[in-house]
Amino acid sequence: MKKVAIIGGTGYGAIELIRLLQLHEKMHVKKVISHSQHGDSLASIYPHLTDFIEEPMDELQIDKLEEEVDIVFFATPAGVAKDILPQLSNSKLQCIDLSGDLRLSSPTEYETWYGKEAAPQELLDQAVYGLSELYAEEIKQASVISNPGCFPTSALLGLAPALEHQIISPQGISIDGKTGISGAGRTPTAKTHFSETNENVTPYKIGQHQHIPEIEQYLSDKAKTPIAVAFATHLIPMTRGLICTMYGQLVKETTTEELLEIYQSYYENNPFVRIREAGVFPATKDVYASNFCDIGIHVDERSNQIIIAAAIDNLVKGAAGQAIQNANLMNGWEETMGLHTIPVYP
């Protein structure tokens, strides 16, 4: 049984890690660390955790982490993990960062899109991008993982097979993303206030979303050519769930059925990607509280485009679930351990 520390213990990502790790056969939550609320009990903030996490939250003591735990999950805001991880670089800890601090290989890109000083280049070079379905072999050898963002998880899983098989043009790709309110985190803002979000759909960060360079970097890697995307995100009035609808221009003749066969073959060894049959598209409820990514595809012969819809739970496959999936791969465990559950419905 490996002992786990979660740094940033009061956010939604941390709470999902705790919920999912309760089911895990090989990992146990030993420490929950909070800078602002150490000494408090988690149940005083989240009463649903009563009797599950009894120890009060700890203050971060870097020099004690290695002797007390084996795996560290960083469920912290952007800008935190990059300052802590260099102090752990010579340890035997396995570290998985759920923030965006290590996702971009270029420090300049990070500073442009995140508005913060970047991590050291050495740390960026060490970190492996943890999109489990696309980089499994690299993840198995890694000690530092950069967990993907929620929108990039959906977009990359939806587009990668079409680009790798050169079915769509690398130019002119459009992504329409929609997410529930929990994607904005626990700290309330005017935009996430109930009266602002209820019965309302709001485009936000158009052309400025920090997930744009992440999507482009890893699509370019898979396509072996530079890619720029048009990416529009929308906040919708539901608690959790995310769906990206993507559009690409066909460069070779194909049918929906042929494309579905390609996708089914591409993901045949990936238990958390489910490809829908022709004419059937996923909904966010289909993956609610699960680690699945459900994908539907349509070839629109009239406009010579393909339309791809990929649905995930933003807090599970888009955050905590994928982090656990990465930990499973890093340790040689069954990839589905602690995660292969039926989505919650309705």
Side-chain angles (χ1 to χ4, degrees), residues 275-317:
I275 308 300
R276 297 299 174 83
E277 62 185 41
V280 181
F281 289 85
T284 57
K285 275 286 188 183
D286 299 339
V287 295
Y288 197 91
S290 82
N291 201 51
F292 289 108
C293 175
D294 286 7
I295 298 174
I297 305 165
H298 174 68
V299 174
D300 187 16
E301 297 175 3
R302 186 185 59 82
S303 63
N304 198 43
Q305 293 187 95
I306 67 168
I307 302 170
I308 307 163
I312 64 170
D313 185 302
N314 58 296
L315 294 177
V316 187
K317 184 58 175 168

Side-chain angles (χ1 to χ4, degrees), residues 33-292:
I33 296 168
S34 172
H35 172 71
S36 61
Q37 294 178 275
H38 59 87
D40 295 343
S41 73
L42 259 179
S44 69
I45 305 166
Y46 293 102
H48 72 289
L49 292 176
T50 299
D51 296 336
F52 285 98
I53 302 291
E54 297 182 353
E55 293 294 320
M57 288 181 285
D58 290 316
E59 189 173 14
L60 177 61
Q61 295 178 288
I62 290 173
D63 56 333
K64 292 186 177 181
L65 271 181
E66 186 174 7
E67 61 189 61
E68 293 181 337
V69 301
D70 306 294
I71 303 171
V72 180
F73 291 97
F74 289 82
T76 51
V80 177
K82 69 180 180 63
D83 292 332
I84 298 173
L85 275 162
Q87 301 174 66
L88 301 173
S89 60
N90 294 321
S91 78
K92 297 178 182 178
L93 292 170
Q94 294 176 329
C95 298
I96 301 173
D97 176 28
L98 277 70
S99 81
D101 282 1
L102 309 179
R103 294 173 189 159
L104 303 180
S105 58
S106 164
T108 303
E109 283 276 277
Y110 178 87
E111 289 166 4
T112 298
W113 290 90
Y114 284 83
K116 303 175 186 293
E117 183 179 351
Q121 186 67 61
E122 182 181 2
L123 179 57
L124 296 176
D125 294 341
Q126 179 187 4
V128 169
Y129 190 64
L131 188 52
S132 308
E133 286 73 19
L134 301 189
Y135 297 101
E137 293 308 310
E138 294 88 340
I139 292 166
K140 290 174 184 178
Q141 307 303 317
S143 59
V144 177
I145 293 290
S146 175
N147 219 54
C150 50
F151 280 119
T153 295
S154 172
L156 291 167
L157 291 176
L159 287 166
L163 283 166
E164 282 200 52
H165 284 82
Q166 300 180 337
I167 292 163
I168 59 173
S169 170
Q171 284 80 45
I173 294 172
S174 297
I175 305 169
D176 181 315
K178 297 180 175 65
T179 185
I181 306 300
S182 60
R186 187 166 182 262
T187 303
T189 67
K191 286 187 177 180
T192 59
H193 194 286
F194 179 81
S195 59
E196 298 283 344
T197 57
N198 186 45
E199 300 183 16
N200 193 18
V201 177
T202 309
Y204 71 101
K205 290 188 178 180
I206 301 300
Q208 301 176 347
H209 203 289
Q210 69 273 16
H211 287 167
I212 291 173
E214 182 181 344
I215 292 169
E216 292 177 345
Q217 177 175 318
Y218 295 101
L219 283 183
S220 299
D221 177 59
K222 289 300 172 183
K224 307 302 181 188
T225 189
I227 287 180
V229 300
F231 182 47
T233 50
H234 304 77
L235 199 62
I236 59 177
M238 65 184 188
T239 301
R240 62 200 296 165
L242 179 152
I243 191 164
C244 284
T245 305
M246 295 154 276
Y247 307 85
Q249 199 70 27
L250 284 167
V251 293
K252 63 172 65 171
E253 190 173 321
T254 188
T255 65
T256 298
E257 288 72 17
E258 289 170 342
L259 199 53
L260 285 170
E261 287 185 13
I262 289 171
Y263 270 68
Q264 286 161 351
S265 175
Y266 190 94
Y267 289 120
E268 64 180 346
N269 296 318
N270 299 118
F272 291 117
V273 177
R274 304 188 297 188
I275 308 300
R276 297 299 174 83
E277 62 185 41
V280 181
F281 289 85
T284 57
K285 275 286 188 183
D286 299 339
V287 295
Y288 197 91
S290 82
N291 201 51
F292 289 108

